[in-house]
Amino acid sequence: MDCVVDLEHGKCDCGVYAVEKIPCSHAIAAGTSASLHISTLVCPVYSKDFLFAGYSENIYPCVGQQVEKRTCFPTDVKRGPGRQKKSRWQSWLELSRMRGRKPRKQHKVIDAQNARKLAI
Ligand SMILES: [Zn+2]
């Protein structure tokens, strides 16, 4: 996919960089060719300073306010008409896991005894 990357405004045609504020592969390639360090492309909101500032003040529970007691039930799930979908668009995390070098499960070696059990 050919994308136009705007490093100054943190945007890319794929849309991932603008939403996540973490550079996508296109932004990383553009930043590397512009001899920028990748860490400078990440939004400062993800920095430790912002995290520490968020938790710098004490957080107290609400005292004196009555909280209504209610039983929560799961929502009713309505199925639409027709056959249910068997495939869906995968997220970038699922795709990156699929492309990963390490398989999530090791292949089992099936010996003759286990093969007979599976056949039955
Ligand atoms: Zn991109």
Side-chain angles (χ1 to χ4, degrees), residues 12 14 24 26:
C12 179
C14 72
C24 60
H26 316 112

Side-chain angles (χ1 to χ4, degrees), residues 3 5 12-17 24-27:
C3 292
V5 179
C12 179
D13 281 351
C14 72
V16 174
Y17 192 20
C24 60
S25 58
H26 316 112

